[in-house]
Amino acid sequence: MTNTDNTVAVAMRNVSRTYGDPANPIHALRDVSVDIRRREFTAIMGPSGSGKSTMMNVMAGLDEATSGQIWLGHNPIVGIGDTARTILRRTNIGFIFQSFNLVPTLTADENIRLPFVLAGRKPTAEQEAWIAHLVTSLGIRERLGHLPSELSGGQQQRVAIVRALAGRPTIILADEPTGALDTRTSREVLTLLTTAAREYGQGIAMVTHDPVAASYADRILVLADGRIVGEYRGLDPRQISDLLINLQGAAA
Ligand SMILES: Nc1ncnc2c1ncn2[C@@H]1O[C@H](COP(=O)(O)OP(=O)(O)OP(=O)(O)O)[C@@H](O)[C@H]1O
Ligand SMILES: [Mg+2]
């Protein structure tokens, strides 16, 4: 794919996800239809319990939609087998999750390279240069030989970020990627995500509660009670926090 490709990275149509007893269901997502485009940085906001993590998990094929359809590029991911879904995920998606999901028995460097190992390929020279750039930008070069248990929460988060960005996947799904980071490192991560979208044409979906983090995005989707209730562009942090406060007022 070229850098001018702004086609859809993930398309969701009429997706619902219901948990629990069918007689008394929890509607985590209700009839959500949305596109996440390549070259675009989308922030997903909304109150706790509004369905943000569920949306990411379902988009990634880590959790099964109760109804509706989802495409990763041109490939449907609902109703295909687990193996097919795993392969699609491995080649197309980079994850940065609330829990970092690093492999505890591998060093930081081995964790970063794991997606390449699983895919049975070696990083190209260009990918090696990109990994080196990411590691340096995020200040973890000295920590590469350490196990996750020997790293701080913020350092583990940065390792997970390098791993997700390293292979330049079609889409990066990030659930509160800056939650465990200090201000300076947060800005660095947000700048890298912006670069990934602008220069490398990747699609980004980032869940955040932080109006400053969301202001780096091109587009903000607001979820409430399992539905998309708003879509905004060009807001500054102040406008974003006013929006969230009003939303909570309306729900109370
Ligand atoms: N595995 C599960 N079983 C039952 N209910 C669940 C499950 N996962 C999520 N839920 C429920 O679905 C709803 C949406 O949860 P979700 O984790 O998507 O919220 P969120 O917007 O990510 O919240 P937060 O900002 O707190 O991370 C909540 O009511 C939650 O309790
Ligand atoms: Mg969540």
Side-chain angles (χ1 to χ4, degrees):
M1 295 238 186
T2 66
N3 286 353
T4 53
D5 188 340
N6 67 348
T7 51
V8 174
V10 179
M12 299 176 77
R13 290 294 175 273
N14 309 106
V15 171
S16 295
R17 178 60 169 111
T18 307
Y19 290 114
D21 178 0
N24 189 15
I26 297 163
H27 297 284
L29 287 180
R30 304 172 192 253
D31 199 29
V32 170
S33 295
V34 71
D35 290 342
I36 305 294
R37 293 184 170 278
R38 293 176 67 94
R39 299 194 73 73
E40 192 163 71
F41 183 177
T42 299
I44 298 166
M45 306 194 82
S48 181
S50 59
K52 304 179 298 295
S53 293
T54 304
M55 186 168 152
M56 304 291 265
N57 291 337
V58 163
M59 253 195 241
L62 292 171
D63 187 6
E64 189 97 46
T66 308
S67 60
Q69 188 52 267
I70 303 169
W71 290 265
L72 194 53
H74 296 293
N75 305 294
I77 62 163
V78 175
I80 64 171
D82 279 350
T83 312
R85 198 155 49 214
T86 302
I87 291 169
L88 269 180
R89 191 159 61 221
R90 206 175 270 165
T91 48
N92 290 291
I93 304 183
F95 295 105
I96 310 168
F97 276 3
Q98 270 170 319
S99 55
F100 319 117
N101 291 319
L102 298 178
V103 179
T105 53
L106 298 181
T107 64
D109 192 50
E110 289 164 344
N111 266 286
I112 288 168
R113 289 160 191 283
L114 185 61
F116 293 97
V117 174
L118 291 174
R121 58 198 169 89
K122 280 198 155 57
T124 61
E126 195 199 351
Q127 285 168 329
E128 285 292 357
W130 175 231
I131 292 170
H133 172 70
L134 293 170
V135 163
T136 305
S137 304
L138 295 177
I140 53 171
R141 174 160 301 289
E142 275 67 53
R143 312 302 293 165
L144 285 179
H146 290 267
L147 296 174
S149 59
E150 299 163 345
L151 302 175
S152 74
Q155 288 168 341
Q156 290 178 49
Q157 180 69 302
R158 282 177 267 167
V159 172
I161 290 165
V162 176
R163 184 180 60 183
L165 293 174
R168 292 206 185 124
T170 314
I171 182 155
I172 294 165
L173 301 177
D175 197 344
E176 299 191 42
T178 57
L181 303 179
D182 58 63
T183 308
R184 201 188 67 79
T185 314
S186 286
R187 296 234 170 96
E188 199 61 61
V189 167
L190 292 162
T191 304
L192 282 169
L193 291 175
T194 307
T195 304
R198 296 267 186 296
E199 286 176 30
Y200 305 121
Q202 295 168 271
I204 318 258
M206 174 185 76
V207 171
T208 184
H209 288 284
D210 175 3
V212 174
S215 71
Y216 280 74
D218 301 303
R219 167 199 194 208
I220 298 174
L221 297 175
V222 180
L223 279 180
D225 196 21
R227 287 182 220 279
I228 294 178
V229 296
E231 179 172 346
Y232 305 87
R233 286 173 190 273
L235 300 186
D236 64 30
R238 180 56 199 258
Q239 292 168 312
I240 297 167
S241 74
D242 286 348
L243 183 79
L244 297 176
I245 289 164
N246 288 335
L247 190 74
Q248 270 161 3

